[in-house]
Amino acid sequence: MLQITEIPVPGYESVRRGIDKDRGLHAIIAVHSTILGPALGGMRLWPYRSEEEALYDVLRLSKGMTYKAACAGLNLGGGKSVVIADPAHKCKELFQAVGEFVDSFGGKYTTAEDVNTNTEDMEIVSSRTRYVAGLKGRSGNPSPYTAHGCFVGLKATLEEVFGSSDLQGKTVAIEGGAGSVAGYYAELIVQAGGKVILADIKDKEVRARAHKLGGSVVPPSEVFKQACDVYAPCALGGTLNAETIPQLRCKAVTGAANNQLREPADGERLRARGILYAPDYVVNAGGLINVSGEVGQSYDEKRSLAMMDKIYVNLKEIYAIAKKDGIPTSAAADRFAERRLDAARAAVKAKASA
Ligand code: NAD
């Protein structure tokens, strides 16, 4: 039987633990904020070593979703789910149970695919709740759209650094080069005349991709040290930190991974080195923008792609705030998002007291 318990966390609207021993479920869903609308965020399945580790991840990720939606101009809140499991043990019963867990939020949280979950898994989830997006025949796989958004962000970043968004003669070092988003991103870069350096722990896959794209391969431990124009973290978070930042040999960072900075101080470390950082939740919003197109409306790819152009405009504004106020771009992005969140909070307050 599914047992749901509330975990009180200050600053979060609702954090719940869902356990169903018979169906192998141990999950946490966090709704950070619904001030802009119902929360939308993916379901990550990962063999976390402890519930504490899973909680840390879901809290950080769900807050990131609030800021991502706010920056992208979407009327959506921030939420996320994490399932503590080995991807090798995925099964129908597990996703049915997690579907019931999602349903317990009554529409306050809508889920979608994320790391180690896919559209087939979401089909099973949808047998137990209607609050699931990213289904087949609708917006589908978010990765090509996330890559498209990153590419739009890359152009804004190149223009800021080099005065032109032209990819000719530019080199991008991509971490997680065998991955899903990285594959589409690398293709767009190469099609536009750029060069790619790829690194991944999946050696065979990354070599095949580099061969296809005319790129080169370096070991995962070397990718951030490459002499290049742009370093693109597209694997896991936390790769920009006190140890890696002093060794970077790029002019800018523009990648898809969530939570690229290990700690807020890393934003200042990048600024001090004169490296322009495209804040992760601004630049990787393409997948969210795309999937939001099927929430409460019928999906239209053209409309979603047009909305992704806003990533360019938003980044330019964030770079301008950073320059004017002499702050890191990561802090400028937070300010940009908080402006919209504060306005929404004020509107709710005014309505309540009217
Ligand atoms: P993916 O699992 O397809 O790709 C990740 C790749 O990183 C894999 O090939 C993996 O082998 C590689 N990798 C893992 N550890 C590594 C390491 N230490 N060094 C080098 N490579 C390593 O995932 P994805 O869907 O492409 O997502 C990539 C990143 O982008 C994740 O951080 C994800 O949270 C973020 N993101 C993805 C989307 C999306 O639409 N898929 C949207 C927003 C953010």
Side-chain angles (χ1 to χ4, degrees):
M1 210 182 77
L2 175 63
Q3 288 187 315
I4 299 171
T5 44
E6 198 76 31
I7 308 173
V9 181
Y12 286 73
E13 282 183 24
S14 179
V15 182
R16 293 181 192 166
R17 172 195 297 110
I19 292 183
D20 187 324
K21 285 198 177 124
D22 299 334
R23 293 184 284 179
L25 179 73
H26 186 176
I28 306 173
I29 298 179
V31 172
H32 172 252
S33 167
T34 56
I35 196 75
L36 294 173
L40 175 63
M43 179 182 296
R44 179 167 295 195
L45 190 142
W46 194 257
Y48 294 101
R49 282 167 299 183
S50 63
E51 189 186 84
E52 204 182 8
E53 197 181 87
L55 182 64
Y56 174 81
D57 209 23
V58 78
L59 293 181
R60 222 178 151 199
L61 289 165
S62 58
K63 188 172 176 185
M65 292 307 290
T66 299
Y67 280 65
K68 192 184 292 199
C71 276
L74 301 172
N75 291 325
L76 290 172
K80 201 91 182 179
S81 45
V82 294
V83 179
I84 307 172
D86 185 331
H89 298 152
K90 286 198 326 187
C91 64
K92 192 174 166 191
E93 291 72 25
L94 175 76
F95 286 109
Q96 285 172 341
V98 83
E100 290 163 27
F101 186 25
V102 169
D103 205 57
S104 75
F105 283 82
K108 210 174 170 182
Y109 169 67
T110 294
T111 197
E113 63 176 88
D114 195 74
V115 177
N116 287 326
T117 59
N118 55 35
T119 45
E120 284 78 31
D121 303 328
M122 290 305 125
E123 289 296 331
I124 306 171
V125 172
S126 74
S127 69
R128 301 299 161 109
T129 182
R130 61 192 174 98
Y131 301 111
V132 49
L135 298 171
K136 271 190 202 141
R138 290 194 236 164
S139 70
N141 178 9
S143 297
Y145 300 99
T146 300
H148 176 79
C150 283
F151 188 65
V152 170
L154 176 64
K155 289 207 248 172
T157 307
L158 290 177
E159 200 171 272
E160 193 72 15
V161 177
F162 299 102
S164 157
S165 60
D166 193 357
L167 260 298
Q168 290 285 340
K170 296 286 181 292
T171 303
V172 182
I174 305 181
E175 183 165 50
S180 183
V181 177
Y184 295 107
Y185 190 33
E187 251 175 47
L188 291 169
I189 292 165
V190 170
Q191 274 164 15
K195 283 203 173 77
V196 289
I197 300 171
L198 305 179
D200 203 289
I201 49 174
K202 293 179 185 160
D203 192 56
K204 207 172 129 207
E205 286 92 332
V206 78
R207 283 186 189 284
R209 185 166 280 166
H211 180 71
K212 189 177 143 210
L213 295 171
S216 54
V217 176
V218 295
S221 58
E222 300 287 317
V223 63
F224 64 89
K225 302 177 195 165
Q226 297 304 303
C228 59
D229 297 292
V230 180
Y231 163 54
C234 295
L236 302 176
T239 61
L240 295 167
N241 53 57
E243 194 192 321
T244 58
I245 293 169
Q247 300 181 68
L248 293 175
R249 289 197 289 155
C250 58
K251 297 271 192 307
V253 178
T254 310
N258 283 312
N259 300 330
Q260 290 171 30
L261 305 182
R262 186 173 289 167
E263 54 176 347
D266 295 320
E268 180 52 35
R269 288 190 179 105
L270 286 163
R271 191 178 88 96
R273 283 220 48 211
I275 295 169
L276 187 65
Y277 170 60
D280 46 16
Y281 62 74
V282 182
V283 89
N284 71 13
L288 177 69
I289 293 170
N290 192 53
V291 85
S292 75
E294 64 168 83
V295 179
Q297 58 191 331
S298 55
Y299 175 67
D300 175 354
E301 190 189 38
K302 262 197 197 143
R303 183 185 57 211
S304 288
L305 287 171
M307 280 177 75
M308 284 169 215
D309 291 343
K310 270 210 86 185
I311 292 177
Y312 179 93
V313 180
N314 291 344
L315 270 182
K316 292 295 251 185
E317 190 170 340
I318 286 162
Y319 293 153
I321 296 171
K323 215 185 264 176
K324 184 172 129 299
D325 296 348
I327 57 173
T329 54
S330 47
D334 287 352
R335 267 189 206 174
F336 184 78
E338 278 156 12
R339 238 170 25 198
R340 198 169 163 229
L341 293 166
D342 288 346
R345 271 186 214 107
V348 168
K349 230 179 176 177
K351 207 172 159 193
S353 60

